[in-house]
Amino acid sequence: MEHTFRFFKQTLGLTRPRLRTPEQADRWVWLILAAYAQLRLARPLTEDLRRPWEKPLTPDRLTPGRVRRGYPRIRRTVGTPARAPKASHPGPGRPKGRTSTPAPRHPVGKKQRKTDMPRRGGAEQQP
């Protein structure tokens, strides 16, 4: 069962981003699900780029992973509505350095002192 959950977390991309709140995790899962829906819709636009050990599939049965392999060809065919990317260096008026604050730290608990721990014998010694 744990292997199944681990596989789903890796497939949905929950092991990569630094998600700090449950709301961020919810948004990330919906974003990934939308991307998978787009990959399913793009099945007719790509060919089956399979590995030597994989069985051939018809275009209507391609998995999202196989469609993702053919995505560079799809992008060349369809194009992109976006303009060329801007320069990567920050311009005037932009802050330098970190854009996010450090993750909040929470105490994990206190260690018990030896005087707080019960004695082994079960019977307590009287002074």
Side-chain angles (χ1 to χ4, degrees):
M1 198 65 169
E2 289 107 17
H3 296 294
T4 306
F5 284 118
R6 182 176 174 202
F7 172 73
F8 285 141
K9 283 176 72 173
Q10 288 175 344
T11 302
L12 289 176
L14 293 174
T15 57
R16 290 225 128 176
R18 298 183 322 193
L19 303 173
R20 296 180 182 173
T21 65
E23 293 82 19
Q24 287 176 335
D26 288 342
R27 284 192 302 266
W28 180 257
V29 168
W30 280 109
L31 181 69
I32 296 298
L33 289 175
Y36 268 82
Q38 293 293 318
L39 287 172
R40 289 243 180 234
L41 291 172
R43 285 191 291 194
L45 301 174
T46 189
E47 300 171 13
D48 185 14
L49 298 176
R50 62 186 183 91
R51 304 261 161 66
W53 58 87
E54 295 174 337
K55 294 180 182 177
L57 294 174
T58 59
D60 61 325
R61 305 264 310 155
L62 289 177
T63 64
R66 288 200 189 178
V67 174
R68 194 172 57 207
R69 278 186 220 152
Y71 183 74
R73 292 181 184 180
I74 295 172
R75 188 163 178 258
R76 270 186 257 133
T77 305
V78 176
T80 178
R83 292 181 285 199
K86 293 182 179 181
S88 62
H89 58 84
R94 290 191 189 171
K96 293 182 180 179
R98 273 184 98 116
T99 57
S100 65
T101 59
R105 302 291 179 199
H106 303 286
V108 291
K110 292 184 178 180
K111 237 181 170 179
Q112 285 187 339
R113 288 190 234 146
K114 287 186 179 180
T115 57
D116 294 340
M117 299 177 102
R119 296 180 186 241
R120 279 197 174 170
E124 294 187 23
Q125 294 178 350
Q126 303 264 339

